[in-house]
Amino acid sequence: MHPAAATATPDLSAQAERPPKLRRVTTADAIFERLYDDIVSLKMPPGMALQEKRIAEDFAVSRTPVREALLRLSEGGLVDIYPQSGTVVSRVPVSAIPEAVVVRKALEGTTVERAAQIASAPDLSRLDAIITRQRALSILGDTSGFHEEDEAFHEAIAQIAGYPGIWGILKSVKVQIDRARRLTLPVLGRMENVVGEHAVIRDAIAAHDVEAARAAMTHHLSAVIPDVAELRTRYPDYFC
């Protein structure tokens, strides 16, 4: 080999040591994420008016990134923009929920089946820790923390299965479900039921019982539909 050719060989070890590329977060991204979280958590309930000027003042920015963030939220079905009237938080579209549940059942059925096939002892310990935290939060009545751990449980299953990208897809699909479920958690006994359903899923994964794992996940995800039917009666202004 010619000496010059040898020096042209790339240093793969140096490339491997490079830190991962960080995502650049713009002002519009930050505004979007804050408003997104507040809408999904119902801190900003359906029907609430959003004022561009007030949001811009809160973030100490011009209205341009605020408008960009609101447009993204509109595309995601979380706000309604009326050119002559202003912007309001969208009501939860009941008709969109059954389809979102179908998508969740299909994708999370796949992840839980795979998790049941390959889950290791550390994977089970991870699920156990989440369930333990959920049980404690349920006793405390901390619905916000409980919801975060609920998300962590389902995300953990996707990661155990080796399909982390599926969870990314589901986050956008299930956004309207998440808004409705926030209203179910204060219902007496609902958080305890969720913990029990998660425990059944965990046990099926531990037993490497693929069919039982899918059945438990399907049962768990199906619970949201009758809940929404009742919630629509109790909170008519929140749904459409």
Side-chain angles (χ1 to χ4, degrees), residues 63-111:
R63 292 194 185 188
T64 299
V66 175
R67 291 193 186 103
E68 182 180 334
L70 291 175
L71 284 172
R72 287 175 60 189
L73 290 167
S74 175
E75 291 168 358
L78 292 177
V79 303
D80 295 322
I81 300 175
Y82 301 100
Q84 305 303 322
S85 305
T87 301
V88 298
V89 177
S90 301
R91 288 174 170 78
V92 179
V94 174
S95 61
I97 290 177
E99 184 176 18
V101 171
V102 169
V103 174
R104 285 200 72 177
K105 286 180 180 178
L107 294 181
E108 294 204 60
T110 297
T111 60

Short mmCIF file of all heavy atoms in Angstrom, two decimals, residues 63-111:
data_model
loop_
_atom_site.label_atom_id
_atom_site.label_comp_id
_atom_site.label_asym_id
_atom_site.label_seq_id
_atom_site.Cartn_x
_atom_site.Cartn_y
_atom_site.Cartn_z
N ARG A 63 -44.29 38.70 18.76
CA ARG A 63 -45.42 37.82 18.47
C ARG A 63 -45.11 36.78 17.40
O ARG A 63 -45.84 35.80 17.27
CB ARG A 63 -46.63 38.66 18.03
CG ARG A 63 -47.21 39.53 19.13
CD ARG A 63 -48.58 40.03 18.72
NE ARG A 63 -49.13 40.97 19.69
CZ ARG A 63 -50.37 41.44 19.65
NH1 ARG A 63 -51.18 41.04 18.67
NH2 ARG A 63 -50.80 42.27 20.56
N THR A 64 -44.03 36.96 16.66
CA THR A 64 -43.74 36.05 15.55
C THR A 64 -43.55 34.60 16.01
O THR A 64 -44.20 33.69 15.47
CB THR A 64 -42.50 36.53 14.78
OG1 THR A 64 -42.76 37.83 14.25
CG2 THR A 64 -42.18 35.57 13.63
N PRO A 65 -42.68 34.31 16.99
CA PRO A 65 -42.55 32.91 17.43
C PRO A 65 -43.82 32.39 18.11
O PRO A 65 -44.08 31.18 18.07
CB PRO A 65 -41.36 32.94 18.40
CG PRO A 65 -41.27 34.36 18.85
CD PRO A 65 -41.72 35.18 17.69
N VAL A 66 -44.60 33.29 18.70
CA VAL A 66 -45.85 32.88 19.31
C VAL A 66 -46.81 32.39 18.24
O VAL A 66 -47.44 31.33 18.37
CB VAL A 66 -46.49 34.03 20.11
CG1 VAL A 66 -47.87 33.62 20.63
CG2 VAL A 66 -45.59 34.45 21.26
N ARG A 67 -46.90 33.14 17.15
CA ARG A 67 -47.78 32.73 16.04
C ARG A 67 -47.34 31.39 15.47
O ARG A 67 -48.16 30.53 15.13
CB ARG A 67 -47.79 33.80 14.94
CG ARG A 67 -48.46 35.10 15.35
CD ARG A 67 -48.72 35.99 14.16
NE ARG A 67 -49.23 37.29 14.57
CZ ARG A 67 -48.51 38.40 14.60
NH1 ARG A 67 -47.24 38.38 14.22
NH2 ARG A 67 -49.05 39.54 14.99
N GLU A 68 -46.02 31.21 15.33
CA GLU A 68 -45.50 29.95 14.80
C GLU A 68 -45.89 28.78 15.71
O GLU A 68 -46.31 27.72 15.23
CB GLU A 68 -43.97 30.02 14.67
CG GLU A 68 -43.35 28.76 14.08
CD GLU A 68 -41.84 28.87 13.98
OE1 GLU A 68 -41.32 30.00 13.88
OE2 GLU A 68 -41.17 27.81 14.00
N ALA A 69 -45.76 28.97 17.01
CA ALA A 69 -46.11 27.92 17.96
C ALA A 69 -47.60 27.61 17.91
O ALA A 69 -48.02 26.45 17.93
CB ALA A 69 -45.71 28.33 19.37
N LEU A 70 -48.43 28.66 17.82
CA LEU A 70 -49.87 28.45 17.77
C LEU A 70 -50.30 27.74 16.49
O LEU A 70 -51.22 26.91 16.51
CB LEU A 70 -50.60 29.79 17.90
CG LEU A 70 -50.49 30.48 19.27
CD1 LEU A 70 -51.15 31.85 19.22
CD2 LEU A 70 -51.13 29.62 20.36
N LEU A 71 -49.64 28.03 15.39
CA LEU A 71 -49.94 27.33 14.14
C LEU A 71 -49.63 25.84 14.26
O LEU A 71 -50.40 25.00 13.78
CB LEU A 71 -49.15 27.95 12.98
CG LEU A 71 -49.68 29.28 12.45
CD1 LEU A 71 -48.70 29.87 11.44
CD2 LEU A 71 -51.05 29.09 11.78
N ARG A 72 -48.52 25.51 14.90
CA ARG A 72 -48.17 24.10 15.10
C ARG A 72 -49.19 23.41 15.99
O ARG A 72 -49.58 22.26 15.74
CB ARG A 72 -46.77 23.99 15.70
CG ARG A 72 -45.65 24.31 14.74
CD ARG A 72 -44.31 24.29 15.44
NE ARG A 72 -44.01 22.98 16.03
CZ ARG A 72 -42.98 22.75 16.83
NH1 ARG A 72 -42.16 23.75 17.17
NH2 ARG A 72 -42.76 21.54 17.31
N LEU A 73 -49.64 24.10 17.02
CA LEU A 73 -50.66 23.53 17.90
C LEU A 73 -51.98 23.35 17.16
O LEU A 73 -52.70 22.37 17.38
CB LEU A 73 -50.86 24.44 19.11
CG LEU A 73 -49.70 24.48 20.11
CD1 LEU A 73 -49.87 25.65 21.07
CD2 LEU A 73 -49.59 23.17 20.87
N SER A 74 -52.28 24.27 16.26
CA SER A 74 -53.49 24.16 15.46
C SER A 74 -53.42 22.94 14.54
O SER A 74 -54.39 22.18 14.40
CB SER A 74 -53.69 25.43 14.63
OG SER A 74 -54.80 25.30 13.76
N GLU A 75 -52.26 22.73 13.93
CA GLU A 75 -52.08 21.57 13.06
C GLU A 75 -52.22 20.26 13.83
O GLU A 75 -52.64 19.25 13.28
CB GLU A 75 -50.70 21.64 12.39
CG GLU A 75 -50.57 22.76 11.37
CD GLU A 75 -49.14 23.01 10.94
OE1 GLU A 75 -48.23 22.32 11.47
OE2 GLU A 75 -48.93 23.89 10.08
N GLY A 76 -51.88 20.29 15.12
CA GLY A 76 -52.00 19.11 15.95
C GLY A 76 -53.37 18.94 16.60
O GLY A 76 -53.59 18.02 17.38
N GLY A 77 -54.29 19.85 16.28
CA GLY A 77 -55.64 19.74 16.81
C GLY A 77 -55.81 20.20 18.24
O GLY A 77 -56.79 19.84 18.90
N LEU A 78 -54.88 21.03 18.73
CA LEU A 78 -54.94 21.45 20.13
C LEU A 78 -55.46 22.88 20.31
O LEU A 78 -55.88 23.23 21.42
CB LEU A 78 -53.57 21.31 20.79
CG LEU A 78 -53.09 19.87 20.97
CD1 LEU A 78 -51.70 19.84 21.55
CD2 LEU A 78 -54.06 19.09 21.85
N VAL A 79 -55.42 23.69 19.28
CA VAL A 79 -56.02 25.02 19.36
C VAL A 79 -56.80 25.30 18.08
O VAL A 79 -56.52 24.72 17.03
CB VAL A 79 -54.98 26.15 19.58
CG1 VAL A 79 -54.16 25.89 20.83
CG2 VAL A 79 -54.08 26.33 18.37
N ASP A 80 -57.78 26.15 18.20
CA ASP A 80 -58.56 26.62 17.05
C ASP A 80 -58.25 28.10 16.86
O ASP A 80 -58.35 28.88 17.82
CB ASP A 80 -60.06 26.45 17.29
CG ASP A 80 -60.46 24.98 17.40
OD1 ASP A 80 -59.89 24.16 16.66
OD2 ASP A 80 -61.32 24.67 18.24
N ILE A 81 -57.86 28.46 15.65
CA ILE A 81 -57.52 29.84 15.35
C ILE A 81 -58.64 30.45 14.49
O ILE A 81 -58.93 29.97 13.40
CB ILE A 81 -56.18 29.93 14.60
CG1 ILE A 81 -55.06 29.35 15.47
CG2 ILE A 81 -55.86 31.38 14.23
CD1 ILE A 81 -53.71 29.28 14.77
N TYR A 82 -59.24 31.51 15.01
CA TYR A 82 -60.29 32.22 14.29
C TYR A 82 -59.75 33.60 13.92
O TYR A 82 -59.51 34.43 14.81
CB TYR A 82 -61.54 32.36 15.16
CG TYR A 82 -62.10 31.03 15.62
CD1 TYR A 82 -61.84 30.55 16.91
CD2 TYR A 82 -62.88 30.26 14.77
CE1 TYR A 82 -62.35 29.34 17.33
CE2 TYR A 82 -63.40 29.04 15.19
CZ TYR A 82 -63.13 28.59 16.48
OH TYR A 82 -63.64 27.38 16.89
N PRO A 83 -59.53 33.85 12.63
CA PRO A 83 -58.88 35.10 12.20
C PRO A 83 -59.49 36.37 12.78
O PRO A 83 -58.77 37.31 13.10
CB PRO A 83 -59.04 35.05 10.67
CG PRO A 83 -59.11 33.59 10.35
CD PRO A 83 -59.85 32.97 11.50
N GLN A 84 -60.78 36.43 12.92
CA GLN A 84 -61.43 37.65 13.40
C GLN A 84 -61.72 37.62 14.90
O GLN A 84 -62.11 38.65 15.47
CB GLN A 84 -62.74 37.88 12.63
CG GLN A 84 -62.58 37.91 11.11
CD GLN A 84 -61.60 38.97 10.65
OE1 GLN A 84 -61.56 40.06 11.22
NE2 GLN A 84 -60.82 38.66 9.63
N SER A 85 -61.57 36.47 15.51
CA SER A 85 -61.98 36.34 16.92
C SER A 85 -60.85 35.99 17.88
O SER A 85 -60.97 36.24 19.07
CB SER A 85 -63.07 35.26 17.03
OG SER A 85 -64.15 35.55 16.16
N GLY A 86 -59.79 35.39 17.38
CA GLY A 86 -58.70 35.00 18.26
C GLY A 86 -58.47 33.50 18.29
O GLY A 86 -58.96 32.77 17.42
N THR A 87 -57.76 33.04 19.28
CA THR A 87 -57.37 31.64 19.39
C THR A 87 -57.87 31.06 20.70
O THR A 87 -57.77 31.70 21.75
CB THR A 87 -55.83 31.50 19.34
OG1 THR A 87 -55.36 32.06 18.10
CG2 THR A 87 -55.40 30.04 19.42
N VAL A 88 -58.42 29.85 20.64
CA VAL A 88 -58.90 29.17 21.85
C VAL A 88 -58.38 27.74 21.86
O VAL A 88 -58.08 27.16 20.81
CB VAL A 88 -60.44 29.15 21.92
CG1 VAL A 88 -61.01 30.55 21.98
CG2 VAL A 88 -61.04 28.37 20.75
N VAL A 89 -58.27 27.20 23.06
CA VAL A 89 -57.89 25.79 23.21
C VAL A 89 -59.02 24.92 22.65
O VAL A 89 -60.18 25.12 22.99
CB VAL A 89 -57.63 25.43 24.69
CG1 VAL A 89 -57.31 23.95 24.83
CG2 VAL A 89 -56.49 26.29 25.25
N SER A 90 -58.67 23.98 21.79
CA SER A 90 -59.69 23.14 21.15
C SER A 90 -60.39 22.24 22.15
O SER A 90 -59.80 21.81 23.15
CB SER A 90 -59.04 22.25 20.08
OG SER A 90 -58.41 23.02 19.09
N ARG A 91 -61.63 21.94 21.88
CA ARG A 91 -62.33 20.92 22.64
C ARG A 91 -61.85 19.54 22.18
O ARG A 91 -61.33 19.41 21.08
CB ARG A 91 -63.84 21.07 22.47
CG ARG A 91 -64.39 22.29 23.20
CD ARG A 91 -65.86 22.54 22.93
NE ARG A 91 -66.39 23.55 23.84
CZ ARG A 91 -66.21 24.86 23.72
NH1 ARG A 91 -65.49 25.31 22.70
NH2 ARG A 91 -66.70 25.71 24.59
N VAL A 92 -62.01 18.55 23.03
CA VAL A 92 -61.54 17.21 22.71
C VAL A 92 -62.53 16.57 21.74
O VAL A 92 -63.72 16.41 22.06
CB VAL A 92 -61.44 16.34 23.99
CG1 VAL A 92 -60.97 14.93 23.63
CG2 VAL A 92 -60.49 16.98 24.99
N PRO A 93 -62.07 16.18 20.53
CA PRO A 93 -62.98 15.57 19.55
C PRO A 93 -63.23 14.10 19.88
O PRO A 93 -62.36 13.25 19.69
CB PRO A 93 -62.23 15.73 18.23
CG PRO A 93 -60.78 15.74 18.62
CD PRO A 93 -60.72 16.38 19.99
N VAL A 94 -64.42 13.80 20.37
CA VAL A 94 -64.75 12.43 20.77
C VAL A 94 -64.59 11.46 19.61
O VAL A 94 -64.15 10.32 19.79
CB VAL A 94 -66.19 12.38 21.34
CG1 VAL A 94 -66.60 10.94 21.62
CG2 VAL A 94 -66.28 13.21 22.61
N SER A 95 -64.92 11.92 18.41
CA SER A 95 -64.86 11.02 17.24
C SER A 95 -63.45 10.55 16.92
O SER A 95 -63.26 9.52 16.27
CB SER A 95 -65.45 11.73 16.01
OG SER A 95 -64.70 12.91 15.72
N ALA A 96 -62.43 11.29 17.38
CA ALA A 96 -61.05 10.92 17.07
C ALA A 96 -60.50 9.87 18.03
O ALA A 96 -59.49 9.23 17.74
CB ALA A 96 -60.16 12.17 17.12
N ILE A 97 -61.15 9.69 19.17
CA ILE A 97 -60.58 8.82 20.20
C ILE A 97 -60.63 7.34 19.84
O ILE A 97 -59.63 6.63 20.02
CB ILE A 97 -61.25 9.11 21.56
CG1 ILE A 97 -60.80 10.49 22.04
CG2 ILE A 97 -60.93 8.03 22.59
CD1 ILE A 97 -61.42 10.96 23.33
N PRO A 98 -61.75 6.79 19.32
CA PRO A 98 -61.75 5.36 18.98
C PRO A 98 -60.66 4.99 17.99
O PRO A 98 -60.01 3.94 18.13
CB PRO A 98 -63.14 5.15 18.38
CG PRO A 98 -63.99 6.19 19.03
CD PRO A 98 -63.09 7.39 19.14
N GLU A 99 -60.42 5.83 16.99
CA GLU A 99 -59.37 5.53 16.02
C GLU A 99 -57.99 5.56 16.67
O GLU A 99 -57.14 4.70 16.40
CB GLU A 99 -59.41 6.54 14.87
CG GLU A 99 -58.39 6.23 13.77
CD GLU A 99 -58.51 7.17 12.59
OE1 GLU A 99 -59.12 8.26 12.74
OE2 GLU A 99 -58.01 6.82 11.51
N ALA A 100 -57.77 6.53 17.57
CA ALA A 100 -56.49 6.60 18.27
C ALA A 100 -56.29 5.36 19.14
O ALA A 100 -55.17 4.85 19.26
CB ALA A 100 -56.44 7.87 19.12
N VAL A 101 -57.37 4.87 19.75
CA VAL A 101 -57.27 3.65 20.56
C VAL A 101 -56.90 2.46 19.69
O VAL A 101 -56.09 1.61 20.09
CB VAL A 101 -58.59 3.39 21.32
CG1 VAL A 101 -58.58 2.02 21.98
CG2 VAL A 101 -58.83 4.47 22.37
N VAL A 102 -57.47 2.38 18.51
CA VAL A 102 -57.15 1.29 17.58
C VAL A 102 -55.66 1.31 17.23
O VAL A 102 -54.99 0.26 17.21
CB VAL A 102 -58.00 1.39 16.29
CG1 VAL A 102 -57.47 0.43 15.21
CG2 VAL A 102 -59.45 1.06 16.60
N VAL A 103 -55.14 2.50 16.96
CA VAL A 103 -53.71 2.63 16.62
C VAL A 103 -52.85 2.22 17.81
O VAL A 103 -51.86 1.50 17.67
CB VAL A 103 -53.39 4.08 16.19
CG1 VAL A 103 -51.89 4.23 15.97
CG2 VAL A 103 -54.13 4.43 14.91
N ARG A 104 -53.23 2.66 18.99
CA ARG A 104 -52.47 2.29 20.19
C ARG A 104 -52.48 0.77 20.40
O ARG A 104 -51.45 0.17 20.72
CB ARG A 104 -53.05 2.98 21.44
CG ARG A 104 -52.71 4.44 21.56
CD ARG A 104 -52.88 4.92 23.00
NE ARG A 104 -51.82 4.40 23.88
CZ ARG A 104 -51.71 4.73 25.16
NH1 ARG A 104 -52.59 5.54 25.72
NH2 ARG A 104 -50.72 4.24 25.89
N LYS A 105 -53.65 0.16 20.25
CA LYS A 105 -53.73 -1.29 20.45
C LYS A 105 -52.81 -2.02 19.47
O LYS A 105 -52.13 -2.99 19.85
CB LYS A 105 -55.17 -1.76 20.26
CG LYS A 105 -56.11 -1.42 21.40
CD LYS A 105 -57.50 -1.94 21.09
CE LYS A 105 -58.47 -1.63 22.21
NZ LYS A 105 -59.86 -2.09 21.90
N ALA A 106 -52.81 -1.57 18.22
CA ALA A 106 -51.99 -2.24 17.21
C ALA A 106 -50.50 -2.08 17.51
O ALA A 106 -49.75 -3.07 17.53
CB ALA A 106 -52.31 -1.68 15.83
N LEU A 107 -50.08 -0.85 17.77
CA LEU A 107 -48.65 -0.61 17.97
C LEU A 107 -48.15 -1.09 19.33
O LEU A 107 -47.08 -1.70 19.44
CB LEU A 107 -48.35 0.89 17.78
CG LEU A 107 -48.55 1.43 16.37
CD1 LEU A 107 -48.21 2.91 16.32
CD2 LEU A 107 -47.71 0.67 15.36
N GLU A 108 -48.93 -0.82 20.38
CA GLU A 108 -48.49 -1.26 21.70
C GLU A 108 -48.68 -2.77 21.88
O GLU A 108 -48.00 -3.39 22.70
CB GLU A 108 -49.20 -0.48 22.79
CG GLU A 108 -48.82 1.00 22.80
CD GLU A 108 -49.01 1.66 24.14
OE1 GLU A 108 -48.39 1.21 25.12
OE2 GLU A 108 -49.80 2.62 24.19
N GLY A 109 -49.59 -3.36 21.12
CA GLY A 109 -49.68 -4.81 21.12
C GLY A 109 -48.40 -5.42 20.58
O GLY A 109 -47.90 -6.43 21.09
N THR A 110 -47.85 -4.78 19.55
CA THR A 110 -46.58 -5.25 18.97
C THR A 110 -45.43 -5.08 19.96
O THR A 110 -44.61 -6.00 20.14
CB THR A 110 -46.27 -4.46 17.68
OG1 THR A 110 -47.29 -4.72 16.72
CG2 THR A 110 -44.92 -4.87 17.11
N THR A 111 -45.35 -3.93 20.61
CA THR A 111 -44.24 -3.70 21.53
C THR A 111 -44.32 -4.62 22.74
O THR A 111 -43.30 -5.15 23.19
CB THR A 111 -44.18 -2.23 22.01
OG1 THR A 111 -45.39 -1.89 22.69
CG2 THR A 111 -43.97 -1.28 20.84
#
